[in-house]
Amino acid sequence: METVQKAVVLLGEKIGTISPYLHGQFAEHLGELVYNGVWVGEDSAIPNTGGIRNDVVAALKPLELPVLRWPGGCFADMYHWRDGIGPQSGRPKRVNVHWGMAPEPNSFGTHEFAAFCRMLGTEPYFAGNVGSGTVQELQEWVEYCNFAGDSTLANERRANGAAEPFNIKYWGIGNENGGCGGNMTPEYYMDLYMRYRTYVYRYPGSDPFCIASGPMQQDWPWTRRFFEKTCKGFWNRKGMMHGFAAHYYCGTAGKSATEYTAAEWLELLAKARAVEGIIVGHRTIMDEYDPKREVKLLLDEWGAWHPIEPGKPMGGLYQQNTMRDALVAALTLDVFNNHADKLYMANIAQMINVLQSLLLVQEDKVVKTPTYHVFDLYRPHKGGQAVRFLSGGESISDGGSFAQNCRDCYLDKGGAFSLKALEGSASVKDGTLCVTACNTHPTEPAEMELEIRGGKVREAKVVTLAGKDFLSLNTFERPSAVKLSKSATVEAKGKLLRIAMPPGSVVRAMGKVE
Ligand code: AHR
């Protein structure tokens, strides 16, 4: 029997504009993301353009992904950009020490990445090397990419095939520098940040946005100590920073990405839902030092992290992706929308074949994961005005292992740990309301009874993402087991829209506001 779940949209309660960058992506030199996932080389039998897979570009392009972070991750702090330019035959072979000692042929470098971004229509975000690099190396990378005039570096770029500058806007100053990026203290990193950032020059026509490497999970002390020194040190150097990037991985629950119980489904969704505490917690600390929010908060790595699939290399972080991951993505994007005033950019980890990916790629085959379909479903929110979405109902749990297992991820500050049977968000763009919502119950259908206050919606187009059951997934053999439904029209009855939600599903309802 369907449970009725009440929800209300308050059109008058505006939260903020939803930054399109909340749908950002991340591509690290890790496992089979770059090599085989994106890059096959011009001589490959797999159809490609300049070495980049056509099928992958065709699959990703419709998502209009706003930004792509590269080349890491941990890899960024050991990457030397000069290794990846010039004739392919002259590029040095390196070892990817962070990720399984895999060979790094450097066939995919600055120009190839810029070409990939151009094909997708996405903005590049470069993560610079602070851990094992030098200030000079970063300064020269910026000049190589962004200088339009006559200099040896700009001319080298031209000689390598790019007459026009790449105009890279987003520059990360290191990655997880409290961990794999150098094991620094926040105070030491803060000084290094300032030093490196000083040399990310604003060449004419370019407008760099510099991003400091922030905390992992709920590492509140990193945020506090970093901003304490930034703002209350020798002088206030906040103006040197455009963004501050936290990371949040909700982890896993159960035996693997594909083997879990209903309780473990709930456990993972609750851990994903806890991203709210991360956003609120870090922003609350930042607000003490930066009440006008001049420094933007980013979450440039997020997602589920399951055990590596059997038979896949240990260093490759390859995992399958089910409807549970779809709900992880949907809940997270809903939280982002509901905190549109606080979050500027977010990058799911990672785009292809690694962690919670949008695509799985093997030889000449490409599969769109359930997570891919969530990004597709949520596209209309981008650039919309987020408005308050409230759902009733109790927090749900199985009463046992859910609460037990989640104790570890309980956030001690900035947000309670909870999961409602119905979670969602709402936005308005060009007079059209977009509501997305998750029936988080793995086995019971629900009916969302949606009330719109502050305006009238006569009918809504509804699209649903659901599988056969809560374990559903797409495989190379059955690539479309999970896909978006056709759009159905739901007429309002009085003030209410009644929308059927299968167990463990995500829906989107869109309608003109009168
Ligand atoms: O996404 C995988 C890794 O997770 C990244 O390289 C690192 O930044 C994080 O710890």
PDB file of all heavy atoms in Angstrom, residues 123-156:
ATOM      1  N   GLU A 123      33.906  23.806 -18.480  1.00  0.00           N
ATOM      2  CA  GLU A 123      35.032  24.657 -18.102  1.00  0.00           C
ATOM      3  C   GLU A 123      36.087  23.840 -17.380  1.00  0.00           C
ATOM      4  O   GLU A 123      35.758  23.084 -16.453  1.00  0.00           O
ATOM      5  CB  GLU A 123      34.520  25.738 -17.149  1.00  0.00           C
ATOM      6  CG  GLU A 123      34.709  27.123 -17.682  1.00  0.00           C
ATOM      7  CD  GLU A 123      34.218  28.175 -16.714  1.00  0.00           C
ATOM      8  OE1 GLU A 123      32.995  28.276 -16.544  1.00  0.00           O
ATOM      9  OE2 GLU A 123      35.035  28.870 -16.142  1.00  0.00           O
ATOM     10  N   PRO A 124      37.341  24.009 -17.742  1.00  0.00           N
ATOM     11  CA  PRO A 124      38.384  23.263 -17.046  1.00  0.00           C
ATOM     12  C   PRO A 124      38.709  23.860 -15.679  1.00  0.00           C
ATOM     13  O   PRO A 124      38.635  25.069 -15.512  1.00  0.00           O
ATOM     14  CB  PRO A 124      39.610  23.400 -17.977  1.00  0.00           C
ATOM     15  CG  PRO A 124      39.219  24.301 -19.090  1.00  0.00           C
ATOM     16  CD  PRO A 124      37.850  24.831 -18.845  1.00  0.00           C
ATOM     17  N   TYR A 125      39.049  22.996 -14.753  1.00  0.00           N
ATOM     18  CA  TYR A 125      39.503  23.404 -13.408  1.00  0.00           C
ATOM     19  C   TYR A 125      40.796  22.650 -13.172  1.00  0.00           C
ATOM     20  O   TYR A 125      40.785  21.421 -13.071  1.00  0.00           O
ATOM     21  CB  TYR A 125      38.391  23.062 -12.415  1.00  0.00           C
ATOM     22  CG  TYR A 125      38.697  23.061 -10.931  1.00  0.00           C
ATOM     23  CD1 TYR A 125      39.940  23.392 -10.386  1.00  0.00           C
ATOM     24  CD2 TYR A 125      37.696  22.722 -10.027  1.00  0.00           C
ATOM     25  CE1 TYR A 125      40.167  23.381  -9.019  1.00  0.00           C
ATOM     26  CE2 TYR A 125      37.903  22.699  -8.661  1.00  0.00           C
ATOM     27  CZ  TYR A 125      39.143  23.029  -8.158  1.00  0.00           C
ATOM     28  OH  TYR A 125      39.368  22.994  -6.804  1.00  0.00           O
ATOM     29  N   PHE A 126      41.908  23.376 -13.125  1.00  0.00           N
ATOM     30  CA  PHE A 126      43.205  22.729 -12.928  1.00  0.00           C
ATOM     31  C   PHE A 126      43.560  22.719 -11.445  1.00  0.00           C
ATOM     32  O   PHE A 126      43.458  23.739 -10.778  1.00  0.00           O
ATOM     33  CB  PHE A 126      44.312  23.512 -13.666  1.00  0.00           C
ATOM     34  CG  PHE A 126      44.365  23.277 -15.153  1.00  0.00           C
ATOM     35  CD1 PHE A 126      43.344  22.620 -15.821  1.00  0.00           C
ATOM     36  CD2 PHE A 126      45.448  23.728 -15.890  1.00  0.00           C
ATOM     37  CE1 PHE A 126      43.404  22.412 -17.195  1.00  0.00           C
ATOM     38  CE2 PHE A 126      45.518  23.529 -17.266  1.00  0.00           C
ATOM     39  CZ  PHE A 126      44.491  22.871 -17.919  1.00  0.00           C
ATOM     40  N   ALA A 127      44.017  21.572 -10.968  1.00  0.00           N
ATOM     41  CA  ALA A 127      44.541  21.485  -9.599  1.00  0.00           C
ATOM     42  C   ALA A 127      46.059  21.512  -9.695  1.00  0.00           C
ATOM     43  O   ALA A 127      46.665  20.622 -10.299  1.00  0.00           O
ATOM     44  CB  ALA A 127      44.053  20.214  -8.933  1.00  0.00           C
ATOM     45  N   GLY A 128      46.666  22.534  -9.134  1.00  0.00           N
ATOM     46  CA  GLY A 128      48.117  22.705  -9.207  1.00  0.00           C
ATOM     47  C   GLY A 128      48.848  21.854  -8.170  1.00  0.00           C
ATOM     48  O   GLY A 128      48.256  21.358  -7.218  1.00  0.00           O
ATOM     49  N   ASN A 129      50.145  21.724  -8.417  1.00  0.00           N
ATOM     50  CA  ASN A 129      50.980  20.870  -7.567  1.00  0.00           C
ATOM     51  C   ASN A 129      51.693  21.720  -6.524  1.00  0.00           C
ATOM     52  O   ASN A 129      52.609  22.475  -6.839  1.00  0.00           O
ATOM     53  CB  ASN A 129      51.987  20.144  -8.479  1.00  0.00           C
ATOM     54  CG  ASN A 129      52.926  19.221  -7.710  1.00  0.00           C
ATOM     55  OD1 ASN A 129      53.020  19.280  -6.485  1.00  0.00           O
ATOM     56  ND2 ASN A 129      53.617  18.367  -8.437  1.00  0.00           N
ATOM     57  N   VAL A 130      51.274  21.570  -5.284  1.00  0.00           N
ATOM     58  CA  VAL A 130      51.933  22.261  -4.170  1.00  0.00           C
ATOM     59  C   VAL A 130      52.803  21.263  -3.401  1.00  0.00           C
ATOM     60  O   VAL A 130      53.899  21.581  -2.968  1.00  0.00           O
ATOM     61  CB  VAL A 130      50.879  22.902  -3.232  1.00  0.00           C
ATOM     62  CG1 VAL A 130      51.511  23.438  -1.958  1.00  0.00           C
ATOM     63  CG2 VAL A 130      50.143  24.019  -3.966  1.00  0.00           C
ATOM     64  N   GLY A 131      52.306  20.034  -3.278  1.00  0.00           N
ATOM     65  CA  GLY A 131      52.989  19.014  -2.459  1.00  0.00           C
ATOM     66  C   GLY A 131      54.408  18.724  -2.925  1.00  0.00           C
ATOM     67  O   GLY A 131      55.337  18.670  -2.113  1.00  0.00           O
ATOM     68  N   SER A 132      54.600  18.521  -4.226  1.00  0.00           N
ATOM     69  CA  SER A 132      55.942  18.162  -4.708  1.00  0.00           C
ATOM     70  C   SER A 132      56.393  19.077  -5.839  1.00  0.00           C
ATOM     71  O   SER A 132      57.392  18.800  -6.492  1.00  0.00           O
ATOM     72  CB  SER A 132      55.964  16.706  -5.189  1.00  0.00           C
ATOM     73  OG  SER A 132      55.250  16.585  -6.415  1.00  0.00           O
ATOM     74  N   GLY A 133      55.638  20.160  -6.052  1.00  0.00           N
ATOM     75  CA  GLY A 133      55.986  21.078  -7.146  1.00  0.00           C
ATOM     76  C   GLY A 133      56.685  22.314  -6.617  1.00  0.00           C
ATOM     77  O   GLY A 133      57.090  22.385  -5.451  1.00  0.00           O
ATOM     78  N   THR A 134      56.789  23.305  -7.487  1.00  0.00           N
ATOM     79  CA  THR A 134      57.409  24.566  -7.077  1.00  0.00           C
ATOM     80  C   THR A 134      56.493  25.713  -7.489  1.00  0.00           C
ATOM     81  O   THR A 134      55.622  25.556  -8.356  1.00  0.00           O
ATOM     82  CB  THR A 134      58.770  24.781  -7.784  1.00  0.00           C
ATOM     83  OG1 THR A 134      58.538  24.877  -9.196  1.00  0.00           O
ATOM     84  CG2 THR A 134      59.742  23.647  -7.490  1.00  0.00           C
ATOM     85  N   VAL A 135      56.763  26.859  -6.896  1.00  0.00           N
ATOM     86  CA  VAL A 135      55.998  28.052  -7.239  1.00  0.00           C
ATOM     87  C   VAL A 135      56.241  28.388  -8.710  1.00  0.00           C
ATOM     88  O   VAL A 135      55.318  28.726  -9.452  1.00  0.00           O
ATOM     89  CB  VAL A 135      56.441  29.223  -6.335  1.00  0.00           C
ATOM     90  CG1 VAL A 135      55.714  30.505  -6.725  1.00  0.00           C
ATOM     91  CG2 VAL A 135      56.187  28.898  -4.878  1.00  0.00           C
ATOM     92  N   GLN A 136      57.493  28.265  -9.127  1.00  0.00           N
ATOM     93  CA  GLN A 136      57.848  28.579 -10.519  1.00  0.00           C
ATOM     94  C   GLN A 136      57.065  27.696 -11.496  1.00  0.00           C
ATOM     95  O   GLN A 136      56.551  28.151 -12.514  1.00  0.00           O
ATOM     96  CB  GLN A 136      59.345  28.384 -10.728  1.00  0.00           C
ATOM     97  CG  GLN A 136      59.791  28.736 -12.139  1.00  0.00           C
ATOM     98  CD  GLN A 136      61.277  28.521 -12.344  1.00  0.00           C
ATOM     99  OE1 GLN A 136      62.009  28.155 -11.426  1.00  0.00           O
ATOM    100  NE2 GLN A 136      61.738  28.743 -13.562  1.00  0.00           N
ATOM    101  N   GLU A 137      56.950  26.404 -11.129  1.00  0.00           N
ATOM    102  CA  GLU A 137      56.243  25.462 -12.011  1.00  0.00           C
ATOM    103  C   GLU A 137      54.786  25.891 -12.191  1.00  0.00           C
ATOM    104  O   GLU A 137      54.258  25.892 -13.305  1.00  0.00           O
ATOM    105  CB  GLU A 137      56.326  24.058 -11.401  1.00  0.00           C
ATOM    106  CG  GLU A 137      55.736  22.984 -12.265  1.00  0.00           C
ATOM    107  CD  GLU A 137      55.810  21.592 -11.615  1.00  0.00           C
ATOM    108  OE1 GLU A 137      56.058  21.498 -10.399  1.00  0.00           O
ATOM    109  OE2 GLU A 137      55.600  20.612 -12.346  1.00  0.00           O
ATOM    110  N   LEU A 138      54.136  26.278 -11.095  1.00  0.00           N
ATOM    111  CA  LEU A 138      52.738  26.693 -11.194  1.00  0.00           C
ATOM    112  C   LEU A 138      52.626  28.011 -11.965  1.00  0.00           C
ATOM    113  O   LEU A 138      51.771  28.164 -12.844  1.00  0.00           O
ATOM    114  CB  LEU A 138      52.113  26.826  -9.801  1.00  0.00           C
ATOM    115  CG  LEU A 138      50.628  27.209  -9.799  1.00  0.00           C
ATOM    116  CD1 LEU A 138      49.770  26.156 -10.500  1.00  0.00           C
ATOM    117  CD2 LEU A 138      50.105  27.428  -8.386  1.00  0.00           C
ATOM    118  N   GLN A 139      53.520  28.942 -11.656  1.00  0.00           N
ATOM    119  CA  GLN A 139      53.483  30.244 -12.346  1.00  0.00           C
ATOM    120  C   GLN A 139      53.614  30.028 -13.857  1.00  0.00           C
ATOM    121  O   GLN A 139      52.908  30.641 -14.660  1.00  0.00           O
ATOM    122  CB  GLN A 139      54.608  31.133 -11.808  1.00  0.00           C
ATOM    123  CG  GLN A 139      54.628  32.529 -12.391  1.00  0.00           C
ATOM    124  CD  GLN A 139      55.425  32.619 -13.689  1.00  0.00           C
ATOM    125  OE1 GLN A 139      56.514  32.061 -13.780  1.00  0.00           O
ATOM    126  NE2 GLN A 139      54.878  33.296 -14.685  1.00  0.00           N
ATOM    127  N   GLU A 140      54.509  29.138 -14.227  1.00  0.00           N
ATOM    128  CA  GLU A 140      54.738  28.909 -15.665  1.00  0.00           C
ATOM    129  C   GLU A 140      53.562  28.195 -16.334  1.00  0.00           C
ATOM    130  O   GLU A 140      53.262  28.425 -17.506  1.00  0.00           O
ATOM    131  CB  GLU A 140      56.038  28.129 -15.861  1.00  0.00           C
ATOM    132  CG  GLU A 140      57.250  28.993 -15.513  1.00  0.00           C
ATOM    133  CD  GLU A 140      58.591  28.322 -15.740  1.00  0.00           C
ATOM    134  OE1 GLU A 140      58.630  27.104 -16.056  1.00  0.00           O
ATOM    135  OE2 GLU A 140      59.602  29.018 -15.567  1.00  0.00           O
ATOM    136  N   TRP A 141      52.907  27.339 -15.582  1.00  0.00           N
ATOM    137  CA  TRP A 141      51.724  26.647 -16.141  1.00  0.00           C
ATOM    138  C   TRP A 141      50.641  27.676 -16.452  1.00  0.00           C
ATOM    139  O   TRP A 141      50.004  27.644 -17.510  1.00  0.00           O
ATOM    140  CB  TRP A 141      51.227  25.587 -15.146  1.00  0.00           C
ATOM    141  CG  TRP A 141      50.377  24.503 -15.761  1.00  0.00           C
ATOM    142  CD1 TRP A 141      50.197  24.230 -17.095  1.00  0.00           C
ATOM    143  CD2 TRP A 141      49.584  23.536 -15.046  1.00  0.00           C
ATOM    144  NE1 TRP A 141      49.356  23.142 -17.249  1.00  0.00           N
ATOM    145  CE2 TRP A 141      48.965  22.699 -16.012  1.00  0.00           C
ATOM    146  CE3 TRP A 141      49.357  23.280 -13.688  1.00  0.00           C
ATOM    147  CZ2 TRP A 141      48.120  21.637 -15.648  1.00  0.00           C
ATOM    148  CZ3 TRP A 141      48.511  22.217 -13.326  1.00  0.00           C
ATOM    149  CH2 TRP A 141      47.908  21.403 -14.301  1.00  0.00           C
ATOM    150  N   VAL A 142      50.464  28.604 -15.504  1.00  0.00           N
ATOM    151  CA  VAL A 142      49.434  29.643 -15.700  1.00  0.00           C
ATOM    152  C   VAL A 142      49.785  30.486 -16.921  1.00  0.00           C
ATOM    153  O   VAL A 142      48.937  30.754 -17.776  1.00  0.00           O
ATOM    154  CB  VAL A 142      49.289  30.519 -14.424  1.00  0.00           C
ATOM    155  CG1 VAL A 142      48.238  31.605 -14.646  1.00  0.00           C
ATOM    156  CG2 VAL A 142      48.922  29.671 -13.217  1.00  0.00           C
ATOM    157  N   GLU A 143      51.048  30.881 -17.029  1.00  0.00           N
ATOM    158  CA  GLU A 143      51.457  31.704 -18.184  1.00  0.00           C
ATOM    159  C   GLU A 143      51.298  30.915 -19.493  1.00  0.00           C
ATOM    160  O   GLU A 143      50.798  31.435 -20.497  1.00  0.00           O
ATOM    161  CB  GLU A 143      52.908  32.167 -18.015  1.00  0.00           C
ATOM    162  CG  GLU A 143      53.373  33.062 -19.160  1.00  0.00           C
ATOM    163  CD  GLU A 143      54.788  33.605 -18.963  1.00  0.00           C
ATOM    164  OE1 GLU A 143      55.174  33.868 -17.810  1.00  0.00           O
ATOM    165  OE2 GLU A 143      55.511  33.726 -19.975  1.00  0.00           O
ATOM    166  N   TYR A 144      51.723  29.669 -19.471  1.00  0.00           N
ATOM    167  CA  TYR A 144      51.607  28.806 -20.660  1.00  0.00           C
ATOM    168  C   TYR A 144      50.140  28.743 -21.116  1.00  0.00           C
ATOM    169  O   TYR A 144      49.846  28.830 -22.304  1.00  0.00           O
ATOM    170  CB  TYR A 144      52.126  27.409 -20.310  1.00  0.00           C
ATOM    171  CG  TYR A 144      52.103  26.414 -21.447  1.00  0.00           C
ATOM    172  CD1 TYR A 144      53.209  26.265 -22.293  1.00  0.00           C
ATOM    173  CD2 TYR A 144      50.999  25.598 -21.673  1.00  0.00           C
ATOM    174  CE1 TYR A 144      53.199  25.342 -23.335  1.00  0.00           C
ATOM    175  CE2 TYR A 144      50.978  24.671 -22.702  1.00  0.00           C
ATOM    176  CZ  TYR A 144      52.081  24.543 -23.532  1.00  0.00           C
ATOM    177  OH  TYR A 144      52.068  23.619 -24.560  1.00  0.00           O
ATOM    178  N   CYS A 145      49.252  28.622 -20.153  1.00  0.00           N
ATOM    179  CA  CYS A 145      47.827  28.450 -20.502  1.00  0.00           C
ATOM    180  C   CYS A 145      47.140  29.765 -20.838  1.00  0.00           C
ATOM    181  O   CYS A 145      46.251  29.797 -21.697  1.00  0.00           O
ATOM    182  CB  CYS A 145      47.070  27.820 -19.332  1.00  0.00           C
ATOM    183  SG  CYS A 145      47.509  26.112 -19.029  1.00  0.00           S
ATOM    184  N   ASN A 146      47.505  30.837 -20.145  1.00  0.00           N
ATOM    185  CA  ASN A 146      46.639  32.023 -20.162  1.00  0.00           C
ATOM    186  C   ASN A 146      47.226  33.263 -20.825  1.00  0.00           C
ATOM    187  O   ASN A 146      46.514  34.252 -20.972  1.00  0.00           O
ATOM    188  CB  ASN A 146      46.218  32.377 -18.725  1.00  0.00           C
ATOM    189  CG  ASN A 146      45.187  31.404 -18.173  1.00  0.00           C
ATOM    190  OD1 ASN A 146      44.786  30.467 -18.853  1.00  0.00           O
ATOM    191  ND2 ASN A 146      44.768  31.620 -16.942  1.00  0.00           N
ATOM    192  N   PHE A 147      48.493  33.244 -21.200  1.00  0.00           N
ATOM    193  CA  PHE A 147      49.071  34.474 -21.749  1.00  0.00           C
ATOM    194  C   PHE A 147      48.871  34.533 -23.263  1.00  0.00           C
ATOM    195  O   PHE A 147      49.259  33.615 -23.992  1.00  0.00           O
ATOM    196  CB  PHE A 147      50.547  34.574 -21.393  1.00  0.00           C
ATOM    197  CG  PHE A 147      51.157  35.898 -21.784  1.00  0.00           C
ATOM    198  CD1 PHE A 147      50.526  37.099 -21.469  1.00  0.00           C
ATOM    199  CD2 PHE A 147      52.363  35.948 -22.476  1.00  0.00           C
ATOM    200  CE1 PHE A 147      51.090  38.330 -21.841  1.00  0.00           C
ATOM    201  CE2 PHE A 147      52.926  37.169 -22.855  1.00  0.00           C
ATOM    202  CZ  PHE A 147      52.287  38.360 -22.523  1.00  0.00           C
ATOM    203  N   ALA A 148      48.275  35.654 -23.696  1.00  0.00           N
ATOM    204  CA  ALA A 148      47.966  35.801 -25.131  1.00  0.00           C
ATOM    205  C   ALA A 148      49.092  36.492 -25.889  1.00  0.00           C
ATOM    206  O   ALA A 148      49.092  36.510 -27.116  1.00  0.00           O
ATOM    207  CB  ALA A 148      46.681  36.610 -25.290  1.00  0.00           C
ATOM    208  N   GLY A 149      50.056  37.084 -25.171  1.00  0.00           N
ATOM    209  CA  GLY A 149      51.097  37.885 -25.818  1.00  0.00           C
ATOM    210  C   GLY A 149      52.295  37.060 -26.242  1.00  0.00           C
ATOM    211  O   GLY A 149      52.206  35.844 -26.472  1.00  0.00           O
ATOM    212  N   ASP A 150      53.415  37.760 -26.352  1.00  0.00           N
ATOM    213  CA  ASP A 150      54.635  37.167 -26.885  1.00  0.00           C
ATOM    214  C   ASP A 150      55.572  36.821 -25.721  1.00  0.00           C
ATOM    215  O   ASP A 150      56.190  37.707 -25.130  1.00  0.00           O
ATOM    216  CB  ASP A 150      55.276  38.204 -27.835  1.00  0.00           C
ATOM    217  CG  ASP A 150      56.556  37.681 -28.455  1.00  0.00           C
ATOM    218  OD1 ASP A 150      56.771  36.455 -28.438  1.00  0.00           O
ATOM    219  OD2 ASP A 150      57.340  38.524 -28.947  1.00  0.00           O
ATOM    220  N   SER A 151      55.626  35.561 -25.359  1.00  0.00           N
ATOM    221  CA  SER A 151      56.598  35.105 -24.346  1.00  0.00           C
ATOM    222  C   SER A 151      57.021  33.698 -24.753  1.00  0.00           C
ATOM    223  O   SER A 151      56.320  33.023 -25.527  1.00  0.00           O
ATOM    224  CB  SER A 151      55.984  35.088 -22.937  1.00  0.00           C
ATOM    225  OG  SER A 151      55.161  33.948 -22.755  1.00  0.00           O
ATOM    226  N   THR A 152      58.152  33.274 -24.248  1.00  0.00           N
ATOM    227  CA  THR A 152      58.664  31.947 -24.615  1.00  0.00           C
ATOM    228  C   THR A 152      57.628  30.864 -24.288  1.00  0.00           C
ATOM    229  O   THR A 152      57.393  29.955 -25.086  1.00  0.00           O
ATOM    230  CB  THR A 152      59.995  31.680 -23.871  1.00  0.00           C
ATOM    231  OG1 THR A 152      60.897  32.720 -24.262  1.00  0.00           O
ATOM    232  CG2 THR A 152      60.576  30.329 -24.213  1.00  0.00           C
ATOM    233  N   LEU A 153      56.980  31.006 -23.132  1.00  0.00           N
ATOM    234  CA  LEU A 153      55.998  29.984 -22.738  1.00  0.00           C
ATOM    235  C   LEU A 153      54.746  30.028 -23.627  1.00  0.00           C
ATOM    236  O   LEU A 153      54.247  28.986 -24.059  1.00  0.00           O
ATOM    237  CB  LEU A 153      55.615  30.175 -21.265  1.00  0.00           C
ATOM    238  CG  LEU A 153      56.641  29.645 -20.269  1.00  0.00           C
ATOM    239  CD1 LEU A 153      56.438  30.274 -18.898  1.00  0.00           C
ATOM    240  CD2 LEU A 153      56.559  28.121 -20.166  1.00  0.00           C
ATOM    241  N   ALA A 154      54.264  31.250 -23.885  1.00  0.00           N
ATOM    242  CA  ALA A 154      53.070  31.366 -24.741  1.00  0.00           C
ATOM    243  C   ALA A 154      53.394  30.857 -26.152  1.00  0.00           C
ATOM    244  O   ALA A 154      52.555  30.208 -26.797  1.00  0.00           O
ATOM    245  CB  ALA A 154      52.586  32.806 -24.784  1.00  0.00           C
ATOM    246  N   ASN A 155      54.612  31.119 -26.604  1.00  0.00           N
ATOM    247  CA  ASN A 155      54.996  30.657 -27.948  1.00  0.00           C
ATOM    248  C   ASN A 155      55.167  29.139 -27.984  1.00  0.00           C
ATOM    249  O   ASN A 155      54.895  28.496 -29.002  1.00  0.00           O
ATOM    250  CB  ASN A 155      56.271  31.368 -28.402  1.00  0.00           C
ATOM    251  CG  ASN A 155      55.991  32.849 -28.645  1.00  0.00           C
ATOM    252  OD1 ASN A 155      54.843  33.221 -28.937  1.00  0.00           O
ATOM    253  ND2 ASN A 155      56.996  33.697 -28.497  1.00  0.00           N
ATOM    254  N   GLU A 156      55.582  28.595 -26.850  1.00  0.00           N
ATOM    255  CA  GLU A 156      55.693  27.123 -26.776  1.00  0.00           C
ATOM    256  C   GLU A 156      54.293  26.499 -26.893  1.00  0.00           C
ATOM    257  O   GLU A 156      54.099  25.504 -27.582  1.00  0.00           O
ATOM    258  CB  GLU A 156      56.353  26.728 -25.449  1.00  0.00           C
ATOM    259  CG  GLU A 156      56.730  25.261 -25.361  1.00  0.00           C
ATOM    260  CD  GLU A 156      57.386  24.903 -24.024  1.00  0.00           C
ATOM    261  OE1 GLU A 156      57.493  25.777 -23.138  1.00  0.00           O
ATOM    262  OE2 GLU A 156      57.755  23.722 -23.871  1.00  0.00           O
TER     263      GLU A 156
END
